[in-house]
Every structure is written in C-alpha cells, then in structure tokens.
Amino acid sequence: MGMGIEKKLGKSPFRLFGISAICAIVPFGCTPATNLGTSSSPSSLAPNQSGVLVYGSGGSPVNLEPGNITDGNSIIVQDQIYNRLIEIKPGTTDLVPGLAAEWSVSTDGKTWTFKLRQGVKFHDGTDFNAEAVKFNIERWWDPNQPQGYRNEGKIYEIWQQMFGGYKGDPNSLLQDVKVVDTSTIQLRLKQPFAAFPAAIASGFYGIASPTAIKKAGANYGKPGSLAIGTGAFVFKEWRTGDRVVLEKNPHYWRTGLPKTNQLVIRFITDPAARLAQLRAGQIDFTVDLAPDQIKELQADPNLESVPRPSFNVGYLALNPSYAPLAKPEVRQAIAQALNQQAIVKAFWGNLGQNDAHFLPPSLSWATTLSLQPYSFNPPQAKQLLAKAGYPNGFPLELWYMPVSRPYYPTPKPIAESFAADLSAIGIRVTLKTKDWAAYLEDRRKAPGYQAFMMGWTGDFGDPDSFLYAHFGPGGTSDIGNWKNDRVFQLLNQARATSDQTARGKLYAEVDELLHQQALRLPIVHAQPLGAKRKNITGWVPSPLGTEPFESVEKK
Amino acid sequence: MWIYLTKRLLSLLPVLLGITLLVFAFLHLIPGDPAVVLSGERATPEQLASLRTQLGLDQPLPLQYLAFLGNLLRFNLGNSIISGIPIAHEIQTRLPASFELTVSAMLVALVLGIPAGVLAAVQKNRWLDNLTMSSSLIGVSLPVYWLGLLLVYLFAVNLHWLPPSGRLSVEAGFNFQPITGFYVLDALLRLDWRTLADVLVHLVLPALTLGTIPLAIIARITRSAMLEVLSQDYIRTARAKGVPEFRVFFQHALKNALLPVSTVTGLQFGSLLGSAILTETIFAWPGIGSWIYDGILARDYPVVQGGVIFVSIAFVLINLLVDLSYALLDPRIQY
C-alpha cells in the first residue's frame, strides 16, 4: 500500500502535500489503510516480535556520565554501556571481577591494589588500562582535574557522600591514586575501609573512555553527545524524552554476550502506562510498578511478575529527644503495639517482609539470624508503658511522607494503621506531613520530629551503606543526635576489618543492640515490582536496583 | 493596524513581567528546596549547604529573581539543575512533538466539534441535540488522565488496534532520521510512507484524549453561535427567497457563527500547549508537557520556570494572533 501511494502520486510535490494535509486533518482516517492493510509492513500494533529487546524505563536518564548522577533511570542505561572495576553477581550483593580481574588490600587495610583485565578496548577502539582508571577516578575525586569540568557546574557529589570528600578535603577517604603499571592501579586510603570494593562496585562508577571525555568535553553523556565504555552495548542514539538505542558490542570481553543485538530503552514515566505498554507487547520488560498492579499483571497470561530482591528498609523512627520516647522501654512498647506483620501483609502483600533487622535480607550475613521481631502484644505493651511511668499513654506527633517511595508506596494509610494500633495502648497520635523537600530537611532541625516514617535504599552492597549512615557518627541528627559508644566502636571496627566472617560478627552485635534500642523500627523490606513478557529469559534483577541486560534474551 | 499591533505588543510587557514574577514566587515560596530533593534521603546538612552554594540557592530571593530576569532578557532561560542541559535547547528539541500533538488535537476538535455543533443547532431540542450536548458535557468533565488510560486499555491493550504510547514504534525508530522534529512532516519529506503511517497511528489516541475538552467546548460554542445567527433577519430573508436549508446553514449561517468559534479555538490552542502535561505523561509523549511534569517532580526550578514561561508566552501570542484574525473573518472590524 505504501508503494502504491508512492507510485500513484508520481513526482508532483504538490500532490504529496495534498495527501499529507488530508492525513493530518483526519489522522485516523488515513492511517489504518496504509498500516493495517500491508502485511509486510512492520505493524506497530502486534506485539513486538522483531528480536529487538525493549525495556520500559521509569523515565529518562539524566545523563550517561558515570560518577555524576545517581538516579536509577540513568544508572540502568549506564549499566549497559560501562563496566566497573568490580561488579555484582546477578541477583545477589556478592562481588565478582569486572574490569579488575583481581584485587587485594595491604595488611594495614589502607592500600587497595587492582589487577586489571588486559586486552579490553573501549567502544571507540582505545585501550582500557590503568591510566584510564586513574583518569576516571581523578575526575570524580580531584576538583582540579581539568576534564572534571567543575567550572561548568559538574559536582560528582556522590563521591563526596560515599568517600568523605574530594581531594584536599581533610575528610577525604582517598589519599592518592597510583598507576603501578599499565594493568595495575593502587588506591591508597587515609583509613581502612573494608567496604571499599563494594562501594567502588556501585553502579555509579562505570569506567568511561578518557579519549571520548576529552573529545566531548563538558557535554559528555548528554543527549547528542558521546557515552563510551567497555560494556556489552554500544550507545547509538538518545532521542530526548523518548528512548535510548543501544547496539551489541561485538568485541565484548565477556564472550558469548550480550544475547541480543539491539536494546532499546523507552522512557515511560507513568506506571499505568508502562504496564499498558507491556500488556500491548510494545515493551518486553519493565520495573517499578506499584504493588497494587500485581493483580492486573497476574491476570494477563502473557506476563510474569518479577519481584526484585529487597535492598531497602522502611522504618518508623522514634526520637529519644522527645521525653516520653527517651526510655527504650517506651520505644519497645510501641514496637509491640504495632501489628507489623498484618500491616505489611495488608499494604505490600507478598512484596514486603517484616523482620527484626534494619539490614535487608540480602545482607543477612551481617545480622543475628536468631533475632525475632517484636511480637504483636498490646497488653504487654501497656504494661511496659505503665512501668516506664506512662500508664495513661502520651500524645505523639507521627509524621508520614507526602510522596510514594519504594519502601513506603502509600504512606498515609500506613500511618493511619500505626495510629490505630498505638491508640489501643493509650498513645494519642496526631498525624502530620509536609512538602517532601521540607519533610526531609526539617527532620534534621533540632529537636526534630517526635516520630516519623522514613526509609533507605542502599547505595552499595555492604552493611556499612545502611548502618553507618543511620547509626554512625553524624548519622543521627534526626533522632536527637543519639549516640552509643559501643555501636560507634563496632561500626568503625567493621570498617577496619577485612575478613567477612569477622565483620559479620561485629555487625551482628550492632543488629542486637539496635533491636533492643528500637530507635528506627524496621517495618518492611519491600520488593520493587518488575514484570516481563513470558518470552523473555535471562533477566535476574539485582537487589542493588539496576543490572546489565547482557544475558537477557527474547525467545 | 500597525499602531494597534504596537500597542498590543507593548501592553504584553507588564503581562509577561507578571508571569515571570508569579512563576518565580510560586516555585520559591513553597517550602523545601531543590538541593534537598536532589540529595534525597542521603543528604547531611554540610553537604546540603555546599550544594546550595553551587546552585546559587544561598542568594537572597530578590537577587535570584533579578538574575533570572536579566538572563531572560538575553533569551537565556538557564540550565536544568539536574541534567545541566540548557532550557532553551530542551524546549527547541521538544516543541515539535508538542506542537504536532496540539495541532492534531485541535483538528480532532474542529473536524468533529463544528459539525456536531451545527447539527445540534439544526436539530434544536430534539434527541440529536440532546445527545450531542450531553456528550459534550461529559467531554468537558472527563478527567484527561482517566480518559487517556481508558482509551489505551480499550484500543491498545484489548483490541490491539492502536499503539498505547510513544511517538514512533521501535522498528520505525531504527531507520527514521528526523529532519525538523515534526515527524509527520519529516516522514513526508523523506517520502517514507511506512513511517508516516506509524507516526499517524501513534498520534490517534493522544490527539483524541487531548482533543476531547476543546471538542466539547467548540461544539457547544458552535451550537449557541449558530442558534443566535439563525434567529437573525437575513436568515429569514434567505429562507423566504427559497434558498435550500443546506445552503442556509452552511453558507449563510455558519460563516457568521465562526467568529466566536475562532476566539475559542485560539484560546484552546494556547491552553492545550500547557494542558498537555497529563496527556503527554500518560502517552510517554516526548514533548514540553511531559518535560515540565518531570521537572515538577524533581523540583528542577529552571525547567519549570522556563517551561511555564514559554507556554505562557505562546498562549499570549496566540491570543494576539486570534485578535488580529478577526479583521480577516469579519470585514466590519478594522484596526
């Protein structure tokens, strides 16, 4: 049919315009004839069978420049283009070699040596080597590195947040970066930091081609510019607001991968629209659906739900600087008054787990497994309150967030359940909320909120990412600058210990202390909900939030 | 004419200044700041302070506003806080998508709305009139979000007749290189019929969704304008002269009823550019609306400021054009 129109219209541009005008006026009058009538035309209406793998992302990436951005929509694309020195075993938080074939630490725990994989090339044909790694790390860390383009507004703030500061900053964990030979690089730290390999393995730190960065300048990683790594897919095109198109890297160093020749990442902000796209077969797999969409998903025989292992915690913080909450017994009473299991069942279904630990289940090696969550026991809770001097309860302002987060998809009704349970033991709850940015900020202004809902998704696959940030020095300003010398000591000791079993024991003691203190009551470890069409295989979602799609295949 | 135009353009200045002030004030006076949103749960007070300095948010508000105005006068809308991409560039990239959608939606509204209004007027107080007017009442009241999803589920998910969202299918996207960004035009310029078909089917659902409200409004305005014209003396004269009813309606009456319709059309066109926010979000349409939506969620000040100011200016200018078009439609009006 398409050919037919072309022939009939001949060469006159005016006739062409005439047809266009008619088509434009009656868009749906013209199109079915030209599209549906042609069996050979790539119909956009049938499920996409073209062999192109299409991923429905929750939004557009911000940019494709490693180290400069932390949002999941950017990292998921970067995961396809770049490799990191150390990577993650699919579906776990275990470390596996990436661009570093092996790594080791000096006996004082301060010098990390990475032996790099040899013969690897960037997509632009340049060599991957120790100089390239040094170039990347110095961009993030050294404010004077010329290709960091900090004068053009680049910040690399995640480096500061994870590693204490930039070069020259007294709090900077990193002391220096040294190229030993073309395939060996050494990073010297000021203090031992056992979680360093896990931290540098986080999705933020893909290694990019220095040549490409120098060529593209400050525009590197923006739409219309370059994004050159060593990963399974080569960046081809970024259509603003619409899609990123990637193609197989024929020289990928992991032999036999990727399994698909073309990968298209489409940006679809609205979860309902994403699920509709998946059901219509226009995308093959997607993430970040709302928990209540699981019913619709399960009702469609062409789809399968794919829960991501949890790497978050949704908690209820009890601020000891509010007098009634100063005693641990009162906080324990609150823990016993909440029917946590029932609440999790009601709001997350099978996509949430309630346990005794602040750490998510994928980090169970760092917990005391025998620890049981506080059981639902209102009479005992009432007794505890009475013993602590509050036989008639007390008033409590409980803050809930105004936005949906992965760990608390529907904060308000969950807060109402908390309030109902607490009123049964005489605690008179007033529910409060405010704008999200103000909510985040004001909780740290003394005296802080009395009780509030909050949560956390780990930045990297180590207990340190959860525990130090919430219970270490500087991490407790929202719970009245709570300070426990033993906890601080254990957390610092764990940072300085490289043996995993020994670290596990230290963290397990922290786990017990925190359970007894009941300051940030872990309510849920939620599993973000993904989904795929049945003919998609090889997708193993990582607890860390994003993963390479090099093994994903369309059958 | 020229004097009128100059006067009108000058009178726009305070309006535009007011718009910038309102947009700026709204965004900055609501609590919370973008530095916090940027850092999320992670930020500590020291890191926030340094981030604020880098974003210029530690300056007093009036200074921030003056800096913003100064840049605006140099056509510099600033850069996105989050991506660092210049706002002007982003608007330029996304405008064709929004414009194409808006034009399609207006075409839906006009092509269906005017005949519906005429029919309703002709059949006044009979069942066809009641049907048209009650449907248009429903059309005005339907939440766009709900209507969009309903259409998607019906035509894309269940019937597989139309694609659920996007501007172009994945396959068509591989070989199609846009020239102007207006995909319909680009496909025509490249004589690429398959892509043209693909682009047009992708337009149907969003255009219907976005066009529903103006369709309903245009139908209602056409009806009442027609009824007014039909009661005029010259219509009676025409009928007395034996002019066929068809010609009475379409040649004598409709032509004169179009003046209020053109006013409403202009207003609707302007407001569609802005109200496409929801439609573009539901249909993953890479236009200005979905961009503003993302900017609001991320509290990306420059994006929201730039987007809203751009849409407001477009709205004001379109209204000016509508006013000027009166002279063409009605020879009695002269500026």
Side-chain angles (χ1 to χ4, degrees):
Chain A
M1 189 70 184
M3 284 302 290
I5 289 184
E6 211 168 329
K7 266 185 191 164
K8 252 193 241 168
L9 288 169
K11 288 169 190 137
S12 162
F14 293 104
R15 285 204 204 156
L16 275 184
F17 193 75
I19 289 285
S20 83
I22 296 165
C23 285
I25 290 168
V26 197
F28 33 92
C30 261
T31 47
T34 45
N35 192 54
L36 297 177
T38 321
S39 56
S40 63
S41 80
S43 166
S44 57
L45 311 180
N48 155 38
Q49 295 291 347
S50 58
V52 179
L53 190 66
V54 187
Y55 171 74
S57 165
S60 167
V62 173
N63 71 44
L64 301 180
E65 179 187 26
N68 202 20
I69 203 73
T70 56
D71 80 292
N73 296 327
S74 298
I75 302 301
I76 195 88
V77 185
Q78 294 192 15
D79 253 344
Q80 316 311 322
I81 301 172
Y82 302 102
N83 289 113
R84 281 109 59 193
L85 290 177
I86 302 174
E87 299 190 341
I88 311 288
K89 187 178 167 195
T92 71
T93 55
D94 302 343
L95 304 180
V96 294
L99 287 174
E102 50 191 270
W103 59 94
S104 59
V105 64
S106 60
T107 43
D108 66 358
K110 290 187 190 170
T111 305
W112 289 90
T113 306
F114 296 87
K115 286 269 175 207
L116 306 179
R117 209 169 282 282
Q118 296 189 34
V120 176
K121 285 194 185 300
F122 288 106
H123 301 153
D124 59 3
T126 57
D127 286 329
F128 163 78
N129 53 32
E131 285 295 343
V133 176
K134 181 170 191 263
F135 178 91
N136 276 272
I137 290 178
E138 287 189 335
R139 282 186 88 219
W140 304 322
W141 170 58
D142 181 356
N144 296 319
Q145 206 277 0
Q147 279 87 30
Y149 307 107
R150 280 168 160 83
N151 52 352
E152 304 204 32
K154 292 189 189 271
I155 301 176
Y156 312 101
E157 55 161 335
I158 186 63
W159 182 275
Q160 179 192 34
Q161 285 168 359
M162 282 172 66
F163 302 113
Y166 304 115
K167 186 176 182 177
D169 186 330
N171 294 323
S172 166
L173 181 72
L174 188 60
Q175 174 80 39
D176 61 38
V177 186
K178 192 169 114 198
V179 171
V180 179
D181 57 49
T182 53
S183 62
T184 313
I185 191 156
Q186 256 180 10
L187 303 184
R188 212 146 55 87
L189 309 184
K190 289 181 187 161
Q191 286 114 34
F193 182 39
F196 190 67
I200 206 77
S202 94
F204 313 141
Y205 303 116
I207 302 294
S209 155
T211 314
I213 290 175
K214 288 174 190 160
K215 196 169 145 197
N219 283 328
Y220 182 85
K222 288 182 184 169
S225 187
L226 301 172
I228 308 271
T230 56
F233 293 94
V234 178
F235 172 66
K236 192 182 162 220
E237 186 189 11
W238 177 351
R239 278 196 191 160
T240 302
D242 184 10
R243 70 189 68 182
V244 164
V245 179
L246 303 167
E247 276 175 357
K248 178 180 183 159
N249 172 6
H251 311 295
Y252 190 42
W253 56 271
R254 280 193 178 107
T255 45
L257 297 175
K259 296 261 173 119
T260 188
N261 289 329
Q262 281 166 316
L263 171 65
V264 172
I265 296 175
R266 296 211 35 212
F267 321 146
I268 309 163
T269 317
D270 186 54
R274 276 206 298 288
L275 184 52
Q277 282 270 19
L278 188 72
R279 291 190 60 190
Q282 302 293 301
I283 57 176
D284 296 313
F285 58 130
T286 188
V287 290
D288 296 334
L289 298 172
D292 58 7
Q293 286 177 301
I294 196 161
K295 285 190 200 107
E296 182 185 342
L297 229 168
Q298 285 168 340
D300 190 322
N302 297 314
L303 306 185
E304 269 171 21
S305 62
V306 184
R308 183 180 289 281
S310 174
F311 202 61
N312 59 36
V313 59
Y315 61 85
L316 176 65
L318 303 171
N319 187 346
S321 69
Y322 176 52
L325 296 178
K327 291 186 182 165
E329 295 78 26
V330 175
R331 303 195 296 263
Q332 289 161 3
I334 288 178
Q336 294 198 354
L338 298 176
N339 195 349
Q340 299 179 28
Q341 301 280 348
I343 290 173
V344 169
K345 190 84 202 153
F347 291 100
W348 286 267
N350 293 325
L351 294 169
Q353 179 180 327
N354 171 252
D355 59 30
H357 318 290
F358 194 76
L359 292 176
S362 43
L363 294 173
S364 60
W365 60 270
T367 61
T368 301
L369 285 173
S370 58
L371 211 57
Q372 290 301 312
Y374 288 100
S375 55
F376 176 55
N377 193 338
Q380 202 174 329
K382 246 183 126 54
Q383 278 176 20
L384 271 175
L385 271 191
K387 224 167 82 185
Y390 296 98
N392 302 315
F394 53 87
L396 179 69
E397 291 178 0
L398 194 159
W399 292 76
Y400 64 91
M401 58 234 339
V403 291
S404 170
R405 303 295 287 168
Y407 42 78
Y408 276 133
T410 50
K412 192 178 179 197
I414 296 171
E416 285 163 352
S417 301
F418 290 158
D421 284 349
L422 292 179
S423 74
I425 60 163
I427 296 177
R428 300 174 292 283
V429 174
T430 315
L431 290 181
K432 304 196 91 165
T433 192
K434 62 168 82 169
D435 170 85
W436 178 227
Y439 185 98
L440 284 170
E441 197 177 3
D442 292 352
R443 80 186 204 276
R444 297 201 185 272
K445 287 185 185 153
Y449 307 146
Q450 295 171 1
F452 60 96
M453 288 160 70
M454 186 49 72
W456 181 259
T457 300
D459 280 329
F460 54 97
D462 193 274
D464 190 83
S465 175
F466 281 82
L467 297 177
Y468 208 89
H470 289 86
F471 302 100
T476 57
S477 56
D478 56 349
I479 45 171
N481 289 312
W482 174 83
K483 187 169 177 295
N484 181 303
D485 291 336
R486 180 64 186 154
V487 169
F488 283 14
Q489 185 193 2
L490 287 164
L491 288 177
N492 281 321
Q493 215 176 327
R495 281 192 157 189
T497 308
S498 45
D499 177 63
Q500 172 134 337
T501 319
R503 292 184 78 216
K505 285 196 181 126
L506 297 169
Y507 283 128
E509 191 183 335
V510 174
D511 192 32
E512 285 170 44
L513 282 169
L514 294 180
H515 181 69
Q516 186 263 330
Q517 285 289 323
L519 286 154
R520 300 186 200 265
L521 280 182
I523 302 294
V524 69
H525 300 293
Q527 290 189 273
L529 179 61
K532 66 179 185 72
R533 292 188 68 83
K534 280 227 164 99
N535 60 341
I536 300 299
T537 59
W539 180 33
V540 185
S542 160
L544 294 167
T546 64
E547 58 279 330
F549 297 147
E550 55 194 29
S551 303
V552 183
E553 196 174 0
K554 193 160 166 176
K555 297 271 183 190
Chain B
M1 175 79 181
W2 291 110
I3 298 170
Y4 173 78
L5 190 63
T6 318
K7 268 193 201 160
R8 278 296 303 265
L9 285 174
L10 280 177
S11 73
L12 288 185
L13 285 179
V15 174
L16 295 177
L17 197 67
I19 291 170
T20 60
L21 189 62
L22 272 181
V23 170
F24 185 86
F26 269 127
L27 274 171
H28 286 263
L29 295 182
I30 52 173
D33 76 58
V36 185
V37 178
L38 269 179
S39 313
E41 289 90 333
R42 205 184 277 120
T44 63
E46 300 77 42
Q47 289 161 354
L48 278 180
S50 85
L51 193 56
R52 270 188 205 116
T53 313
Q54 295 181 47
L55 297 175
L57 295 167
D58 54 345
Q59 302 283 325
L61 272 187
L63 279 187
Q64 286 189 47
Y65 178 64
L66 284 180
F68 164 68
L69 267 191
N71 284 327
L72 201 61
L73 285 177
R74 277 172 271 141
F75 296 103
N76 175 7
L77 288 164
N79 298 343
S80 154
I81 290 180
I82 293 180
S83 69
I85 296 173
I87 305 297
H89 177 264
E90 195 92 24
I91 289 178
Q92 203 185 337
T93 320
R94 288 169 177 267
L95 182 62
S98 286
F99 194 77
E100 202 164 78
L101 176 60
T102 309
V103 170
S104 311
M106 277 322 290
L107 285 172
V108 167
L110 288 171
V111 167
L112 301 179
I114 293 181
V118 172
L119 264 182
V122 171
Q123 301 275 329
K124 190 187 165 197
N125 291 337
R126 279 191 263 168
W127 68 269
L128 197 60
D129 180 28
N130 294 335
L131 180 73
T132 319
M133 286 305 105
S134 46
S135 327
S136 75
L137 188 65
I138 295 172
V140 182
S141 334
L142 277 182
V144 169
Y145 185 83
W146 181 80
L147 175 70
L149 281 179
L150 193 78
L151 291 175
V152 166
Y153 272 90
L154 184 60
F155 291 108
V157 175
N158 289 321
L159 295 172
H160 285 280
W161 287 359
L162 294 163
S165 64
R167 248 186 123 187
L168 203 59
S169 68
V170 164
E171 296 87 343
F174 277 123
N175 303 315
F176 178 60
Q177 282 311 318
I179 307 165
T180 62
F182 296 92
Y183 283 6
V184 173
L185 186 66
D186 292 343
L188 280 168
L189 288 173
R190 293 202 183 277
L191 304 180
D192 183 347
W193 311 118
R194 280 187 187 182
T195 304
L196 178 64
D198 193 78
V199 169
L200 291 175
V201 287
H202 278 83
L203 263 171
V204 176
L205 289 182
L208 267 180
T209 307
L210 189 61
T212 308
I213 291 178
L215 188 162
I217 293 175
I218 286 174
R220 295 180 80 86
I221 294 286
T222 307
R223 177 181 179 270
S224 60
M226 277 294 280
L227 286 177
E228 198 185 318
V229 173
L230 285 174
S231 66
Q232 304 272 326
D233 289 346
Y234 72 90
I235 295 289
R236 202 166 21 170
T237 314
R239 281 184 173 142
K241 274 167 53 186
V243 176
E245 276 297 281
F246 179 81
R247 282 186 60 194
V248 170
F249 287 128
F250 286 92
Q251 212 168 357
H252 294 258
L254 183 59
K255 211 170 149 190
N256 288 304
L258 278 183
L259 202 61
V261 175
S262 74
T263 310
V264 171
T265 305
L267 284 172
Q268 288 297 314
F269 192 90
S271 67
L272 279 196
L273 273 178
S275 72
I277 290 184
L278 283 179
T279 310
E280 287 191 2
T281 304
I282 302 163
F283 289 99
W285 196 264
I288 296 197
S290 56
W291 172 65
I292 294 179
Y293 178 85
D294 292 345
I296 293 171
L297 286 192
R299 191 156 302 182
D300 196 336
Y301 283 173
V303 165
V304 183
Q305 273 169 0
V308 173
I309 285 171
F310 172 79
V311 171
S312 315
I313 292 176
F315 184 78
V316 171
L317 291 181
I318 287 170
N319 278 332
L320 179 64
L321 285 179
V322 170
D323 284 357
L324 294 178
S325 77
Y326 287 165
L328 293 177
L329 289 170
D330 187 344
R332 288 171 300 179
I333 298 177
Q334 281 187 345
Y335 296 121

